[in-house]
């Protein structure tokens, strides 16, 4: 193995692994454990539970309702909802009916929803739990037939209703099995830089995903407990929760609301938990808001207290029973991984994207190498483009292409290799380090390229910073836009000088690690947090760098000319 090419040296889960469509696993559990709970929906202090048999009954009745609509074969059927039990029932019904599921982010506004609905050629749209129905409904074309989930805010509209269809139709009988080469789903990307692209995946892709991910995922028991809150329309949650639960026969519990997240998680104590770095950071800050790092360190040094403190923190977080904890979707600071290891929680970093069904690399459980995103999955090859530094990969679960976008498909998959758009480095053991995005590079006024990723990662060690974006196209030196964490905002109110000193110390420390033209000249503390609602974050919580550059761009030169290195917007 060279430093430029890494072929997977892991063994797949089994040479006799049977490749089959996801829905076949459902049929098996429906027969084997019909009375065991599959889906759990919280309502205050109680949980409404659905057994495999009950889920099958509702899904099969919706299949009958869809068949009664006389839709063309393999029609595209949309689904827009926050995660809930009916989301999975709906997805199963679409699979059983021989159609193609097209899930959308529940945070889309009317304009964006209209764009993807039109582009996807959706014949029907299921509408579920939503926070901003009024700001979304005008985007739905009049020719699309809509069906509302129970308790959807859209139930007030003159649409077909799930419960009415359940009452009107008998359950579909039989076990329809799609060909593995049939299209399973079209997953729209989060649209970091523009119009989302519809990524097409077949049932075969997802079968191959399971074949390579079962050992890491420990999808080995009907006693597995999954906790679903990241958007199910995203490829990672669809893999980890939907595919993982269907393969293992485990249960899936949902979140009632953002306010009840911590309570719901603590109630479930899942065996499997997936989160993005921002969530892990919030968990850490929550712990440190009740116990200082200094006090925590002192407890962890005392054997008799160390075990008790770890168990207490793990239970409070809801992770005392977690067997698999995954972090992905954005760079995870090595310092944060180390912090969790000290309290007995071993997070496994993974790397993937919609185009490769979320599977590229994952951290081996017994060989964690902080600062990397692990090694290639079985049956996956990775190499680094020697000119651009771009990560290229190929596997037998790559997308079949972008829906109705053959040119973009050809630009992304060349000679069987997926061009990820990410930059990285491979070490001698095949561990991959992500160093940034090819498109995120920009030139300062000195004409030299600046790669923001490594610089931004350096600021992640400061607990007073929650969000950061390095910008400065055309400036003599880059600047850092930052959003303070809750801890940072509290310190700003009580001791602004201490906060400035902390940020300045971080700025100087990071500047020692980068090239001279990459040294950050100013840190600008922005007034407002970056959110999905103000269009500065994608639905997967990635920063929209181009939007931030547009919003703050005109003021960057003014800030750059100020004498202070730490500046308040």
């Amino acid at each position: 193995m060279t430093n430029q090419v890494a072929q997977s040296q892991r063994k797949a889960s089994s040479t006799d692994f049977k490749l089959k469509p996801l829905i076949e696993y459902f049929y098996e559990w429906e027969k084997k454990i019909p009375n065991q709970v599959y889906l759990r929906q919280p309502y205050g202090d109680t949980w409404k539970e659905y057994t495999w048999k009950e889920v099958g009954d509702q899904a099969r009745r919706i299949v009958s309702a869809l068949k009664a609509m006389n839709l063309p074969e393999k029609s595209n059927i949309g689904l827009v909802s926050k995660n809930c039990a009916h989301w999975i029932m709906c997805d199963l019904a679409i699979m059983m009916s021989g159609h193609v599921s097209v899930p959308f982010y529940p945070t889309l506004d009317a304009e964006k929803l209209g764009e993807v609905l039109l582009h996807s050629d959706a014949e029907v749209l299921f509408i579920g739990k939503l926070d901003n129905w009024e700001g979304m409904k005008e985007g739905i074309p009049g020719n699309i037939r809509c069906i509302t989930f129970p308790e959807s805010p859209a139930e007030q509209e003159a649409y077909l209703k799930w419960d009415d269809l359940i009452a009107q139709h008998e359950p579909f009988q039989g076990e329809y099995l799609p060909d593995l080469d049939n299209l399973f789903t079209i997953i729209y990307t989060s649209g970091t830089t523009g119009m989302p692209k519809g990524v097409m995946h077949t049932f075969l892709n997802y079968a191959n995903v399971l074949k390579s991910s079962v050992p890491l995922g420990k999808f080995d028991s009907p006693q597995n407990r999954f906790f679903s809150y990241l958007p199910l329309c995203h490829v990672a949650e669809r893999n980890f929760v939907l595919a993982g639960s269907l393969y293992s026969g485990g249960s899936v519990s949902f979140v009632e609301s953002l306010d009840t997240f911590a309570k719901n998680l603590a109630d479930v104590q899942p065996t499997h938990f997936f989160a993005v770095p921002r969530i892990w950071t919030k968990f850490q800050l929550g712990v440190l808001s009740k116990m200082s790092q200094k006090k925590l360190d002192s407890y962890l040094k005392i054997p008799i207290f160390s075990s008790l403190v770890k168990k207490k923190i793990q239970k409070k977080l809801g992770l005392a029973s977690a067997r698999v904890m995954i972090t992905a979707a954005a760079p995870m600071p090595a310092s944060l991984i180390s912090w969790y290891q000290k309290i007995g929680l071993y997070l496994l970093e993974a790397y993937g994207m919609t185009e490769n069904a979320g599977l590229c690399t994952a951290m081996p459980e017994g060989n964690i190498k902080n600062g990397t995103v692990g090694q290639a999955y079985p049956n996956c090859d990775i190499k680094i483009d020697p000119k651009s530094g771009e990560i290229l990969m190929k596997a037998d679960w790559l997308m079949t292409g972008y829906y109705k976008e053959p040119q973009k498909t050809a630009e992304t998959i060349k000679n069987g290799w997926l061009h990820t758009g990410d930059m990285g480095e491979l070490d001698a053991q095949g561990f991959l380090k992500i160093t940034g995005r090819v498109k995120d590079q920009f030139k300062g006024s000195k004409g030299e390229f600046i790669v923001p990723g490594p610089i931004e990662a350096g600021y992640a060690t400061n607990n007073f910073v929650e969000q950061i974006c390095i910008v400065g196209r055309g400036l003599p030196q880059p600047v850092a836009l930052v959003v303070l964490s809750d801890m940072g905002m509290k310190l700003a109110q009580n001791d602004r000088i201490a906060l400035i000193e902390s940020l300045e110390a971080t700025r100087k420390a990071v500047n020692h690690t980068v090239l001279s033209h990459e040294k950050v000249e100013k840190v600008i503390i922005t007034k407002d947090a970056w959110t999905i609602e103000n269009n500065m974050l994608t639905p997967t919580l990635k920063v929209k760098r181009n939007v931030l550059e547009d919003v703050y761009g005109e003021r960057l030169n003014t800030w750059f000319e100020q004498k202070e290195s730490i500046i308040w917007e």
Side-chain angles (χ1 to χ4, degrees):
M1 183 183 298
T2 70
N3 195 44
Q4 291 299 310
V5 182
Q7 295 180 331
S8 175
Q9 296 181 347
R10 301 183 185 183
K11 294 180 180 178
S13 55
S14 172
T15 54
D16 60 355
F17 185 98
K18 182 186 176 184
L19 298 174
K20 53 189 179 183
L22 279 178
I23 193 64
E24 189 170 342
Y25 293 106
F26 177 80
Y27 296 143
E28 292 171 2
W29 297 120
E30 189 183 29
K31 288 180 288 190
K32 287 180 182 177
I33 50 173
N35 298 317
Q36 186 163 310
V37 172
Y38 177 29
L39 305 178
R40 304 176 72 246
Q41 189 73 43
Y43 294 91
D45 293 328
T46 62
W47 291 80
K48 181 170 177 56
E49 298 182 332
Y50 300 88
T51 64
W52 288 90
K53 180 180 179 180
E54 289 168 337
V55 169
D57 181 75
Q58 294 215 27
R60 289 173 178 279
R61 290 174 187 271
I62 294 300
V63 172
S64 296
L66 289 172
K67 288 186 176 296
M69 293 181 180
N70 294 315
L71 301 171
E73 281 189 16
K74 302 175 184 176
S75 290
N76 294 342
I77 297 184
L79 165 55
V80 60
S81 174
K82 294 165 67 175
N83 296 13
C84 61
H86 286 84
W87 201 109
I88 287 183
M89 291 183 203
C90 181
D91 209 27
L92 292 170
I94 295 170
M95 284 188 249
M96 282 189 208
S97 62
H99 297 305
V100 180
S101 64
V102 189
F104 304 116
Y105 285 102
T107 51
L108 295 178
D109 60 20
E111 180 183 0
K112 295 297 183 184
L113 180 61
E115 283 180 358
V116 289
L117 277 172
L118 184 65
H119 185 267
S120 69
D121 300 316
E123 298 274 350
V124 177
L125 177 66
F126 285 87
I127 306 168
K129 291 181 65 177
L130 297 167
D131 290 332
N132 185 29
W133 168 242
E134 292 301 318
M136 178 184 287
K137 65 181 181 180
E138 296 302 321
I140 300 175
N143 64 327
I144 293 181
R145 285 176 274 191
C146 296
I147 301 171
T148 59
F149 290 173
E151 301 173 38
S152 168
E155 276 204 307
Q156 61 188 319
E157 311 292 341
Y159 295 150
L160 295 170
K161 294 174 175 54
W162 179 283
D163 283 345
D164 290 346
L165 295 177
I166 294 296
Q168 294 164 9
H169 294 274
E170 290 300 312
F172 167 72
Q173 300 299 316
E175 297 181 353
Y176 167 77
L177 289 174
D179 291 338
L180 283 172
D181 289 331
N182 282 6
L183 185 59
F184 160 45
T185 188
I186 300 172
I187 303 176
Y188 277 84
T189 60
S190 56
T192 310
T193 57
M195 170 69 185
K197 298 183 286 289
V199 177
M200 297 185 289
H201 281 296
T202 63
F203 284 97
L204 179 59
N205 284 4
Y206 265 71
N208 282 319
V209 161
L210 275 175
K211 180 177 180 179
S212 285
S213 62
V214 161
L216 173 76
K218 297 183 181 177
F219 303 141
D220 54 4
S221 169
Q223 305 309 314
N224 285 345
R225 297 188 300 277
F226 297 85
F227 187 74
S228 181
Y229 67 100
L230 293 173
L232 270 166
C233 60
H234 187 269
V235 69
E237 188 83 349
R238 198 95 165 277
N239 287 356
F240 192 65
V241 171
L242 179 68
S245 66
L246 288 176
Y247 181 87
S248 68
S251 66
V252 180
S253 298
F254 298 93
V255 173
E256 184 174 12
S257 69
L258 187 61
D259 292 336
T260 66
F261 178 93
K263 180 183 184 300
N264 296 153
L265 179 58
D267 285 348
V268 175
Q269 295 290 333
T271 60
H272 290 63
F273 186 73
F274 171 72
V276 297
R278 193 176 176 197
I279 299 293
W280 293 114
T281 299
K282 283 186 175 294
F283 283 179
Q284 180 201 36
L285 295 178
V287 171
L288 296 180
S289 69
K290 295 178 174 61
M291 181 189 306
S292 70
Q293 186 66 58
K294 185 176 180 180
K295 182 178 284 189
L296 177 58
D297 289 340
S298 66
Y299 282 150
L300 294 177
K301 289 176 183 176
I302 305 171
I304 194 169
F305 284 130
S306 179
S307 179
L308 292 172
V309 169
K310 288 178 184 178
K311 288 179 180 177
K312 186 175 181 180
I313 293 174
Q314 291 169 12
K315 187 171 183 180
K316 190 72 175 175
L317 288 175
L319 300 175
S321 301
R323 300 171 59 213
V324 180
M325 290 168 285
I326 304 291
T327 178
M332 180 78 162
S335 58
L336 190 55
I337 297 249
S338 298
W339 186 88
Y340 277 99
Q341 289 170 350
K342 289 176 183 177
I343 60 170
L345 297 176
Y346 293 87
L347 313 186
L348 301 179
E349 193 156 8
Y351 163 65
M353 54 199 303
T354 312
E355 288 81 350
N356 58 26
L359 264 67
C360 187
T361 68
M363 195 69 67
E365 186 176 24
N367 186 20
I368 294 175
K369 192 166 189 176
N370 288 352
T372 77
V373 290
Q375 298 170 312
Y377 275 90
N379 308 315
C380 171
D381 296 329
I382 301 171
K383 66 180 180 180
I384 307 298
D385 185 294
K387 292 183 179 179
S388 66
E390 184 177 11
I391 301 165
L392 313 181
M393 66 82 66
K394 64 178 177 180
D396 51 9
W397 52 80
L398 293 187
M399 67 172 182
T400 57
Y402 295 120
Y403 186 61
K404 299 196 297 191
E405 300 282 0
Q407 182 60 39
K408 289 181 180 177
T409 301
E411 292 169 0
T412 304
I413 299 179
K414 302 174 185 177
N415 299 317
W417 289 91
L418 174 70
H419 289 240
T420 66
D422 291 313
M423 301 168 65
E425 300 169 353
L426 284 166
D427 69 13
Q429 288 76 46
F431 283 87
L432 178 67
K433 178 181 180 181
I434 308 294
T435 58
R437 289 282 297 168
V438 175
K439 290 182 179 179
D440 283 350
Q441 295 182 96
F442 63 87
K443 282 185 179 181
S445 62
K446 297 174 183 176
E448 296 178 285
F449 275 110
I450 295 160
V451 182
I455 309 172
E456 291 167 350
Y459 284 78
T461 59
N462 191 315
N463 288 330
F464 303 133
V465 174
E466 178 162 329
Q467 298 169 300
I468 179 168
C469 183
I470 300 296
V471 295
R473 198 180 302 275
L475 290 177
Q477 295 291 143
V479 300
L481 298 170
V482 305
V483 173
L484 297 178
S485 65
D486 289 341
M487 286 177 63
M489 287 188 283
K490 287 178 183 177
L491 186 60
Q493 293 170 356
N494 299 324
D495 192 346
R496 181 176 283 209
I497 292 175
L499 176 64
I500 291 173
E501 288 175 348
S502 175
L503 294 174
E504 178 62 9
T506 299
R507 186 184 74 88
K508 288 181 177 178
V510 175
N511 281 352
H512 279 304
T513 68
V514 299
L515 299 173
S516 60
H517 67 278
E518 294 181 316
K519 294 183 187 299
V520 170
E521 187 77 11
K522 310 287 181 183
V523 174
I524 293 110
I525 301 167
T526 65
K527 287 180 181 177
D528 300 318
W530 309 329
T531 65
I532 298 169
E533 290 71 26
N534 62 23
N535 196 38
M536 293 185 183
L537 294 183
T538 70
T540 54
L541 305 182
K542 295 184 179 74
V543 171
K544 292 186 176 182
R545 194 178 303 274
N546 58 326
V547 173
L548 264 62
E549 287 175 341
D550 289 342
V551 170
Y552 298 107
E554 291 184 2
R555 289 174 283 172
L556 291 180
N557 282 300
T558 302
W559 285 329
F560 194 87
E561 296 301 323
Q562 294 184 24
K563 64 178 182 179
E564 300 87 2
S565 57
I566 311 297
I567 298 167
W568 301 77
E569 183 185 4

